[in-house]
PDB file of all heavy atoms in Angstrom:
ATOM      1  N   LEU A1363      -2.506 -25.651  -2.735  1.00 98.00           N
ATOM      2  CA  LEU A1363      -3.124 -25.349  -1.437  1.00 98.00           C
ATOM      3  C   LEU A1363      -4.228 -26.351  -1.091  1.00 98.00           C
ATOM      4  O   LEU A1363      -4.886 -26.232  -0.067  1.00 98.00           O
ATOM      5  CB  LEU A1363      -3.725 -23.928  -1.447  1.00 98.00           C
ATOM      6  CG  LEU A1363      -2.736 -22.763  -1.465  1.00 98.00           C
ATOM      7  CD1 LEU A1363      -3.480 -21.431  -1.571  1.00 98.00           C
ATOM      8  CD2 LEU A1363      -1.875 -22.763  -0.204  1.00 98.00           C
ATOM      9  N   GLY A1364      -4.473 -27.301  -2.004  1.00 98.00           N
ATOM     10  CA  GLY A1364      -5.510 -28.313  -1.761  1.00 98.00           C
ATOM     11  C   GLY A1364      -6.911 -27.809  -2.069  1.00 98.00           C
ATOM     12  O   GLY A1364      -7.905 -28.396  -1.630  1.00 98.00           O
ATOM     13  N   ALA A1365      -7.002 -26.710  -2.850  1.00 98.00           N
ATOM     14  CA  ALA A1365      -8.321 -26.127  -3.121  1.00 98.00           C
ATOM     15  C   ALA A1365      -9.093 -26.932  -4.167  1.00 98.00           C
ATOM     16  O   ALA A1365      -8.518 -27.442  -5.126  1.00 98.00           O
ATOM     17  CB  ALA A1365      -8.152 -24.700  -3.605  1.00 98.00           C
ATOM     18  N   ALA A1419     -16.958 -22.509  -0.382  1.00 98.00           N
ATOM     19  CA  ALA A1419     -15.607 -22.214  -0.894  1.00 98.00           C
ATOM     20  C   ALA A1419     -14.543 -22.743   0.066  1.00 98.00           C
ATOM     21  O   ALA A1419     -14.750 -22.759   1.281  1.00 98.00           O
ATOM     22  CB  ALA A1419     -15.441 -20.709  -1.074  1.00 98.00           C
ATOM     23  N   ASP A1420     -13.406 -23.169  -0.503  1.00 98.00           N
ATOM     24  CA  ASP A1420     -12.310 -23.632   0.353  1.00 98.00           C
ATOM     25  C   ASP A1420     -11.017 -22.848   0.099  1.00 98.00           C
ATOM     26  O   ASP A1420      -9.959 -23.212   0.609  1.00 98.00           O
ATOM     27  CB  ASP A1420     -12.075 -25.140   0.175  1.00 98.00           C
ATOM     28  CG  ASP A1420     -11.744 -25.513  -1.261  1.00 98.00           C
ATOM     29  OD1 ASP A1420     -11.567 -24.594  -2.091  1.00 98.00           O
ATOM     30  OD2 ASP A1420     -11.671 -26.726  -1.562  1.00 98.00           O
ATOM     31  N   CYS A1421     -11.115 -21.787  -0.714  1.00 98.00           N
ATOM     32  CA  CYS A1421      -9.930 -20.978  -1.013  1.00 98.00           C
ATOM     33  C   CYS A1421     -10.408 -19.619  -1.536  1.00 98.00           C
ATOM     34  O   CYS A1421     -11.426 -19.545  -2.233  1.00 98.00           O
ATOM     35  CB  CYS A1421      -9.093 -21.691  -2.082  1.00 98.00           C
ATOM     36  SG  CYS A1421      -7.609 -20.811  -2.590  1.00 98.00           S
ATOM     37  N   LEU A1422      -9.692 -18.558  -1.180  1.00 99.00           N
ATOM     38  CA  LEU A1422     -10.042 -17.214  -1.640  1.00 99.00           C
ATOM     39  C   LEU A1422      -8.967 -16.732  -2.611  1.00 99.00           C
ATOM     40  O   LEU A1422      -7.775 -16.829  -2.299  1.00 99.00           O
ATOM     41  CB  LEU A1422     -10.112 -16.255  -0.446  1.00 99.00           C
ATOM     42  CG  LEU A1422     -11.094 -16.652   0.667  1.00 99.00           C
ATOM     43  CD1 LEU A1422     -10.802 -15.867   1.943  1.00 99.00           C
ATOM     44  CD2 LEU A1422     -12.535 -16.437   0.199  1.00 99.00           C
ATOM     45  N   VAL A1423      -9.418 -16.225  -3.774  1.00 99.00           N
ATOM     46  CA  VAL A1423      -8.478 -15.683  -4.754  1.00 99.00           C
ATOM     47  C   VAL A1423      -8.832 -14.208  -4.950  1.00 99.00           C
ATOM     48  O   VAL A1423      -9.950 -13.900  -5.362  1.00 99.00           O
ATOM     49  CB  VAL A1423      -8.589 -16.425  -6.105  1.00 99.00           C
ATOM     50  CG1 VAL A1423      -7.697 -15.761  -7.151  1.00 99.00           C
ATOM     51  CG2 VAL A1423      -8.223 -17.900  -5.946  1.00 99.00           C
ATOM     52  N   SER A1434     -10.737 -10.019   0.701  1.00 98.00           N
ATOM     53  CA  SER A1434     -10.237 -11.380   0.872  1.00 98.00           C
ATOM     54  C   SER A1434      -9.704 -11.591   2.290  1.00 98.00           C
ATOM     55  O   SER A1434      -9.998 -12.601   2.952  1.00 98.00           O
ATOM     56  CB  SER A1434      -9.119 -11.618  -0.166  1.00 98.00           C
ATOM     57  OG  SER A1434      -8.536 -12.872   0.011  1.00 98.00           O
ATOM     58  N   ALA A1438     -10.961 -14.116   5.118  1.00 98.00           N
ATOM     59  CA  ALA A1438     -10.025 -15.102   5.684  1.00 98.00           C
ATOM     60  C   ALA A1438     -10.044 -15.041   7.205  1.00 98.00           C
ATOM     61  O   ALA A1438      -9.990 -16.070   7.884  1.00 98.00           O
ATOM     62  CB  ALA A1438      -8.608 -14.838   5.160  1.00 98.00           C
ATOM     63  N   THR A1441     -13.155 -16.915   8.262  1.00 98.00           N
ATOM     64  CA  THR A1441     -13.329 -18.309   7.851  1.00 98.00           C
ATOM     65  C   THR A1441     -12.088 -19.173   8.025  1.00 98.00           C
ATOM     66  O   THR A1441     -12.184 -20.400   7.986  1.00 98.00           O
ATOM     67  CB  THR A1441     -13.699 -18.375   6.346  1.00 98.00           C
ATOM     68  OG1 THR A1441     -12.631 -17.751   5.611  1.00 98.00           O
ATOM     69  CG2 THR A1441     -15.017 -17.665   6.050  1.00 98.00           C
ATOM     70  N   GLY A1442     -10.920 -18.527   8.119  1.00 98.00           N
ATOM     71  CA  GLY A1442      -9.663 -19.285   8.168  1.00 98.00           C
ATOM     72  C   GLY A1442      -9.255 -19.844   6.807  1.00 98.00           C
ATOM     73  O   GLY A1442      -8.308 -20.636   6.721  1.00 98.00           O
ATOM     74  N   LEU A1443      -9.927 -19.434   5.719  1.00 98.00           N
ATOM     75  CA  LEU A1443      -9.578 -19.985   4.393  1.00 98.00           C
ATOM     76  C   LEU A1443      -8.231 -19.441   3.903  1.00 98.00           C
ATOM     77  O   LEU A1443      -7.885 -18.288   4.174  1.00 98.00           O
ATOM     78  CB  LEU A1443     -10.670 -19.618   3.373  1.00 98.00           C
ATOM     79  CG  LEU A1443     -12.030 -20.296   3.569  1.00 98.00           C
ATOM     80  CD1 LEU A1443     -13.024 -19.799   2.513  1.00 98.00           C
ATOM     81  CD2 LEU A1443     -11.893 -21.810   3.482  1.00 98.00           C
ATOM     82  N   PRO A1444      -7.483 -20.255   3.146  1.00 98.00           N
ATOM     83  CA  PRO A1444      -6.225 -19.772   2.569  1.00 98.00           C
ATOM     84  C   PRO A1444      -6.505 -18.802   1.412  1.00 98.00           C
ATOM     85  O   PRO A1444      -7.564 -18.883   0.778  1.00 98.00           O
ATOM     86  CB  PRO A1444      -5.558 -21.050   2.056  1.00 98.00           C
ATOM     87  CG  PRO A1444      -6.686 -21.972   1.765  1.00 98.00           C
ATOM     88  CD  PRO A1444      -7.780 -21.653   2.766  1.00 98.00           C
ATOM     89  N   GLN A1445      -5.537 -17.923   1.169  1.00 98.00           N
ATOM     90  CA  GLN A1445      -5.729 -16.908   0.129  1.00 98.00           C
ATOM     91  C   GLN A1445      -4.596 -16.916  -0.898  1.00 98.00           C
ATOM     92  O   GLN A1445      -3.431 -17.099  -0.541  1.00 98.00           O
ATOM     93  CB  GLN A1445      -5.735 -15.508   0.731  1.00 98.00           C
ATOM     94  CG  GLN A1445      -6.692 -15.262   1.846  1.00 98.00           C
ATOM     95  CD  GLN A1445      -6.391 -13.925   2.503  1.00 98.00           C
ATOM     96  OE1 GLN A1445      -6.670 -12.883   1.934  1.00 98.00           O
ATOM     97  NE2 GLN A1445      -5.789 -13.958   3.681  1.00 98.00           N
ATOM     98  N   ILE A1446      -4.993 -16.625  -2.142  1.00 98.00           N
ATOM     99  CA  ILE A1446      -4.019 -16.347  -3.198  1.00 98.00           C
ATOM    100  C   ILE A1446      -4.304 -14.925  -3.679  1.00 98.00           C
ATOM    101  O   ILE A1446      -5.458 -14.605  -3.986  1.00 98.00           O
ATOM    102  CB  ILE A1446      -4.163 -17.326  -4.384  1.00 98.00           C
ATOM    103  CG1 ILE A1446      -3.998 -18.776  -3.902  1.00 98.00           C
ATOM    104  CG2 ILE A1446      -3.176 -16.987  -5.485  1.00 98.00           C
ATOM    105  CD1 ILE A1446      -4.248 -19.829  -4.979  1.00 98.00           C
ATOM    106  N   ARG A1476      -3.752 -14.748  10.339  1.00 96.00           N
ATOM    107  CA  ARG A1476      -4.770 -15.370   9.471  1.00 96.00           C
ATOM    108  C   ARG A1476      -5.083 -14.550   8.217  1.00 96.00           C
ATOM    109  O   ARG A1476      -5.622 -15.065   7.260  1.00 96.00           O
ATOM    110  CB  ARG A1476      -6.071 -15.589  10.261  1.00 96.00           C
ATOM    111  CG  ARG A1476      -6.025 -16.769  11.202  1.00 96.00           C
ATOM    112  CD  ARG A1476      -7.277 -16.812  12.034  1.00 96.00           C
ATOM    113  NE  ARG A1476      -7.379 -15.634  12.907  1.00 96.00           N
ATOM    114  CZ  ARG A1476      -8.396 -15.365  13.717  1.00 96.00           C
ATOM    115  NH1 ARG A1476      -9.442 -16.174  13.754  1.00 96.00           N
ATOM    116  NH2 ARG A1476      -8.390 -14.295  14.485  1.00 96.00           N
ATOM    117  N   GLN A1478      -2.855 -12.925   6.334  1.00 98.00           N
ATOM    118  CA  GLN A1478      -1.735 -12.917   5.382  1.00 98.00           C
ATOM    119  C   GLN A1478      -2.008 -13.908   4.234  1.00 98.00           C
ATOM    120  O   GLN A1478      -2.171 -15.113   4.480  1.00 98.00           O
ATOM    121  CB  GLN A1478      -0.450 -13.334   6.096  1.00 98.00           C
ATOM    122  CG  GLN A1478       0.721 -13.577   5.173  1.00 98.00           C
ATOM    123  CD  GLN A1478       1.226 -12.293   4.524  1.00 98.00           C
ATOM    124  OE1 GLN A1478       1.628 -11.373   5.220  1.00 98.00           O
ATOM    125  NE2 GLN A1478       1.200 -12.239   3.197  1.00 98.00           N
ATOM    126  N   PRO A1479      -2.090 -13.440   2.982  1.00 98.00           N
ATOM    127  CA  PRO A1479      -2.249 -14.397   1.875  1.00 98.00           C
ATOM    128  C   PRO A1479      -1.100 -15.407   1.861  1.00 98.00           C
ATOM    129  O   PRO A1479       0.051 -15.067   2.132  1.00 98.00           O
ATOM    130  CB  PRO A1479      -2.228 -13.509   0.628  1.00 98.00           C
ATOM    131  CG  PRO A1479      -2.719 -12.186   1.116  1.00 98.00           C
ATOM    132  CD  PRO A1479      -2.162 -12.046   2.509  1.00 98.00           C
ATOM    133  N   ALA A1480      -1.423 -16.669   1.522  1.00 98.00           N
ATOM    134  CA  ALA A1480      -0.407 -17.723   1.498  1.00 98.00           C
ATOM    135  C   ALA A1480       0.442 -17.645   0.237  1.00 98.00           C
ATOM    136  O   ALA A1480       1.610 -18.017   0.240  1.00 98.00           O
ATOM    137  CB  ALA A1480      -1.096 -19.093   1.571  1.00 98.00           C
ATOM    138  N   VAL A1481      -0.171 -17.166  -0.854  1.00 98.00           N
ATOM    139  CA  VAL A1481       0.516 -17.123  -2.152  1.00 98.00           C
ATOM    140  C   VAL A1481       0.276 -15.751  -2.784  1.00 98.00           C
ATOM    141  O   VAL A1481      -0.852 -15.230  -2.748  1.00 98.00           O
ATOM    142  CB  VAL A1481      -0.036 -18.218  -3.098  1.00 98.00           C
ATOM    143  CG1 VAL A1481       0.657 -18.148  -4.460  1.00 98.00           C
ATOM    144  CG2 VAL A1481       0.128 -19.610  -2.484  1.00 98.00           C
TER     145      VAL A1481
END
Side-chain angles (χ1 to χ4, degrees):
L1363 290 176
D1420 59 7
C1421 179
L1422 303 164
V1423 175
S1434 176
T1441 59
L1443 291 178
Q1445 306 169 73
I1446 302 175
R1476 283 174 296 177
Q1478 171 69 60
V1481 179

